[in-house]
Each structure stands twice: as C-alpha cells, then as structure tokens.
C-alpha cells in the first residue's frame, strides 16, 4: 500500500472535491446540447467552478503559497518560493462533446522545480500522483514506464494543432515520420492524461508543441518519477515553459527524438 505524504493528501482531497462538480456537470452536457444557453457557456462555468474549489481548498491548507491558474492567472503568495500550477479541466473539448476523457491537474512548484503532482481522472476514478524522490503512483499502485525498447512495437500519443494554431506543416511531417516506424499513434485530447499514461506504461511516449505549464506541470514529475525521460523535442531538460515536450520511456527517448529531429521541415514551417 502506497503511503501518501500530508502534502499529497491535501492535493488529492482538493482534486476529489473539485471533481464532484465536474462529474455532475459532465452528466448534463448531452442534455445541454439542446438547451438555449449552449454547452460552451455551461462548460466554461464548470471549468471556473472547479478552479475556484481547487483554489479555495489549497489556500485553506497552505495559505502562504501562490498560484498559476489556467483561468485566473498568477496569484502571488506570501511564500515567494512555492506555488500551485493548476489546470482545473484538461480535455475541455472532450468534455464539451461528451467524450469521457478529461482530468484535473495540480503541480506544486518550489524554487522553479516541480516537487509534487496530482492528475485525477474522475470517470475512471484514477488518481495519479507523484512526489519528488518518492516515486509515482496510480491510486495505491506504483507506476513504472513501459519496458518496450523497439519502435515497431510502440504506441505514441501526441497533440494535433487545430484551427488558428501554428506549425501545422511541421506537425504533419512529424506524424508521417513516427507513423512509419511505430505500431500506432493516439490523440486522446488531454495532455495531462497523456503524460500520466506514459508514466503508467500505457504508451511508450508522448510529444506535443505549444503546451502551457498547467497542462504538463504534474505530468512531467509523474513520468520522471516513473523512470521515464522528459525533455523538449530538442533535448533540453527545461520543459515547463518550453515550446515542446517529449516524454518517453527510458529505452526509446533517444530514438523518438531522432525520428522527430529528422522530420522537422524547417523551424518556421507554418
Ligand atoms: C488542452 C489539452 C489537449 C492539448 C491542448 C491543450 P485544455 O488543454 O491538453 O490535449 O492538445 O494543447 O490546450 O484546453 O483542454 O485545458
Ligand atoms: Ca489543458
Ligand atoms: Ca483547461
């Protein structure tokens, strides 16, 4: 049985609490598609409500910490060294369309380093959590990245840019290169869960460009604590504010990085 620290218990309790509302609201989404108000406003309200619950709960437990909130932005704390980095609903488009794949993500940053992370997937009741130096877990079970070392047997996840986003052409080159050498590519629509799934060994790796700190703060720690490697697509270890992320098991990180490097058409490929 995995023993959680007091800090992780604070974080998981906040996530469980915020998830109650999200689960209830997700159940409403299909009906709302015919209502006059429209599902987008409803989902935006659910997102804000989840963020408020997380903020209130965490502030009650650790009043001195600051925040970086996806919706609310930066909130300075009296402790300048520590802040929560929060995505109250990762997988918003899935939620809006009634696709059951979304999560809450909470990371704790101390002196610029992520020291604790929680990603909660309410519909499967999977609580992924990790603390620096203490390992990564889902519920009570220890996580370990997959042991596959052969690209041809491997499944990779990614994020696909959409209307109005940059880098469509370079993404298509990456896709072409990875699909030629792997067993399959997935796009599930929650970067936080993509990272949690790499930590859990469900896929061998994940890459995406143009993410934000709240999408990945908790997941980066989960993958590293599960024995995986996380860098940018170019190999830098500083990923939280970087333009790309590459999170892979320890055996295939170099191989996927090499495939992506050869795929890039040009740095300014539109
Ligand atoms: C999004 C998801 C998605 C990723 C997008 C993110 P949101 O977060 O993580 O998988 O491809 O880049 O913005 O908007 O659902 O919180
Ligand atoms: Ca997100
Ligand atoms: Ca979000």
């Amino acid at each position: 049985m995995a023993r959680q620290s007091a800090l992780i218990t604070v974080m998981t309790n906040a996530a469980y609490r915020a998830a109650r509302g999200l689960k209830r609201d997700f159940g409403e989404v299909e009906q709302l598609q015919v209502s006059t108000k429209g599902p987008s406003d409803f989902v935006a309200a659910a997102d804000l409500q989840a963020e408020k619950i997380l903020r209130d709960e965490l502030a009650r437990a650790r009043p001195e910490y600051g925040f970086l909130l996806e919706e609310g932005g930066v909130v300075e704390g009296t402790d300048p060294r520590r802040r929560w980095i929060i995505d109250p609903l990762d997988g918003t488009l899935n939620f809006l369309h009634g696709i059951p794949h979304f999560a809450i993500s909470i990371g704790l940053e101390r002196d610029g380093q992520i020291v604790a992370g929680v990603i909660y997937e309410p519909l499967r009741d999977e609580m992924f959590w990790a603390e620096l130096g203490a390992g990564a877990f889902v519920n009570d079970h220890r996580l370990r990245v997959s042991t596959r070392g052969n690209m041809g047997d491997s499944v990779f996840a990614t994020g696909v840019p959409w209307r109005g986003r940059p880098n469509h052409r370079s993404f298509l080159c990456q896709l072409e290169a990875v699909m030629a050498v792997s067993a399959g590519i997935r796009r599930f629509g929650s970067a936080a869960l993509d990272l949690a799934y790499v930590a859990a060994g469900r896929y061998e790796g994940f890459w995406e460009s143009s993410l934000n700190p709240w999408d990945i703060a908790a997941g980066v720690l989960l993958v590293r604590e599960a024995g995986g490697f996380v860098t940018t697509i170019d190999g830098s270890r500083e990923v939280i504010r970087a333009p790309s992320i590459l999170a892979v098991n320890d055996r295939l990180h170099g191989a996927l990085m090499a495939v992506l490097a050869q795929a890039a058409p040009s740095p300014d490929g539109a």
Side-chain angles (χ1 to χ4, degrees):
M1 179 100 166
R3 273 176 64 93
Q4 291 188 344
S5 67
L7 172 66
I8 293 289
T9 302
V10 162
M11 295 166 76
T12 56
N13 283 346
Y16 284 132
R17 200 148 219 195
R20 273 188 237 147
L22 284 182
K23 250 174 107 166
R24 192 187 49 235
D25 293 341
F26 184 70
E28 297 277 317
V29 163
E30 286 207 330
Q31 286 150 299
L32 275 149
Q33 282 169 357
V34 294
S35 87
T36 48
K37 198 181 171 203
S40 302
D41 291 347
F42 181 79
V43 172
D47 193 3
L48 284 172
Q49 181 59 18
E51 186 170 283
K52 183 178 181 319
I53 293 169
L54 293 167
R55 186 177 163 178
D56 290 350
E57 290 288 312
L58 294 168
R60 203 157 50 83
R62 297 287 188 275
E64 61 283 14
Y65 294 8
F67 289 89
L68 172 59
L69 301 154
E70 181 182 9
E71 308 302 335
V74 173
V75 180
E76 302 290 351
T78 53
D79 178 348
R81 296 178 55 207
R82 293 179 177 82
R83 67 172 176 173
W84 305 108
I85 302 182
I86 296 179
D87 189 338
L89 173 57
D90 188 60
T92 321
L93 193 61
N94 286 343
F95 194 100
L96 180 61
H97 285 252
I99 299 168
H101 190 78
F102 57 87
I104 290 168
S105 176
I106 309 169
L108 177 65
E109 188 179 50
R110 188 184 66 213
D111 298 325
Q113 188 181 26
I114 306 300
V115 293
V118 154
I119 296 172
Y120 184 49
E121 204 281 69
L123 302 177
R124 291 183 196 87
D125 191 24
E126 288 189 316
M127 179 63 78
F128 297 91
W129 55 279
E131 204 164 354
L132 188 64
F137 301 83
V138 60
N139 298 334
D140 282 341
H141 306 291
R142 183 95 193 217
L143 294 179
R144 174 78 207 151
V145 292
S146 92
T147 54
R148 285 194 184 83
N150 180 337
M151 290 291 279
D153 297 332
S154 296
V155 171
F156 297 106
T158 188
V160 182
W162 59 95
R163 177 170 49 87
R165 281 282 178 127
N167 304 325
H168 287 206
R169 191 159 303 282
S170 57
F171 175 74
L172 286 171
C173 294
Q174 293 174 347
L175 202 58
E176 190 172 23
V178 178
M179 70 193 185
V181 296
S182 65
I185 299 176
R186 299 288 181 268
R187 198 304 188 234
F188 279 121
S190 161
L193 287 175
D194 286 331
L195 289 164
Y197 282 20
V198 173
R202 293 177 185 171
Y203 7 93
E204 279 56 56
F206 163 68
W207 86 96
E208 186 164 350
S209 296
S210 307
L211 290 171
N212 286 295
W214 46 82
D215 300 311
I216 59 173
V220 167
L221 184 65
L222 269 155
V223 174
R224 288 182 174 153
E225 287 294 322
F229 292 164
V230 188
T231 64
T232 62
I233 289 175
D234 303 332
S236 161
R237 270 184 61 86
E238 298 302 320
V239 292
I240 297 297
R241 284 159 200 85
S244 68
I245 187 166
L246 175 65
V248 192
N249 78 18
D250 46 329
R251 301 184 66 189
L252 288 172
H253 183 272
L256 184 58
M257 190 159 75
V259 170
L260 292 171
Q262 281 159 16
S266 73
D268 61 349

